[in-house]
Amino acid sequence: MALHTQLPIYKVAYDLLSVATDYVQNMPRAFKAAIGGRVRDLCVDLVLLIFKANCAKNKVPLLDALLEKLEELNLLLRLCRDKRFIATGQYAKAIELTASVGKQANGWRKHNASSPVA
């Protein structure tokens, strides 16, 4: 088992958390707590789920939860772009990172779904 901080998926998820934190900082005050706080919380949840999945014997349920939270994050990022809370370039960067996390999580999930749980 690799150290979770050295996993490529962890590094991308941490970059996503960093980017999201910067974006939320510049949101309008009226939406910063509700929408921005949720975006930050989801990013933290992704990083924590990666850690938990790395330690777990049965990774599939945790990776399923990660993918579900990733979809929720994508929805909120799209809303932020549509409402012009973040710029199109910022949205593109965030979606690039969420796509990378999603691809890696799906690959990790498929690998573990086909492997017997020890």
Side-chain angles (χ1 to χ4, degrees):
M1 171 175 58
L3 188 61
H4 71 279
T5 56
Q6 295 176 345
L7 296 173
I9 189 173
Y10 178 88
K11 291 176 182 178
V12 176
Y14 185 83
D15 289 344
L16 179 61
L17 173 60
S18 179
V19 164
T21 301
D22 292 341
Y23 296 169
V24 169
Q25 185 177 357
N26 298 319
M27 279 187 184
R29 181 176 295 187
F31 302 99
K32 189 180 288 194
I35 295 173
R38 185 70 184 133
V39 167
R40 272 193 319 260
D41 291 346
L42 285 168
C43 290
V44 169
D45 290 347
L46 293 177
V47 173
L48 291 175
L49 282 167
I50 290 166
F51 163 73
K52 289 177 182 179
N54 189 49
C55 295
K57 290 186 188 283
N58 185 5
K59 298 172 183 348
V60 175
L62 293 166
L63 293 170
D64 285 341
L66 186 145
L67 291 167
E68 185 178 320
K69 287 186 183 287
L70 197 60
E71 281 303 312
E72 187 178 347
L73 179 60
N74 281 331
L75 173 71
L76 289 177
L77 288 170
R78 184 174 177 186
L79 176 67
C80 289
R81 168 57 194 111
D82 291 346
K83 295 295 184 180
R84 301 179 194 267
F85 301 155
I86 62 174
T88 302
Q90 292 174 319
Y91 173 72
K93 175 67 177 170
I95 292 302
E96 178 183 317
L97 293 170
T98 61
S100 178
V101 170
K103 286 177 187 176
Q104 292 180 63
N106 272 313
W108 198 10
R109 186 191 175 289
K110 286 178 186 174
H111 174 74
N112 283 280
S114 64
S115 303
V117 177

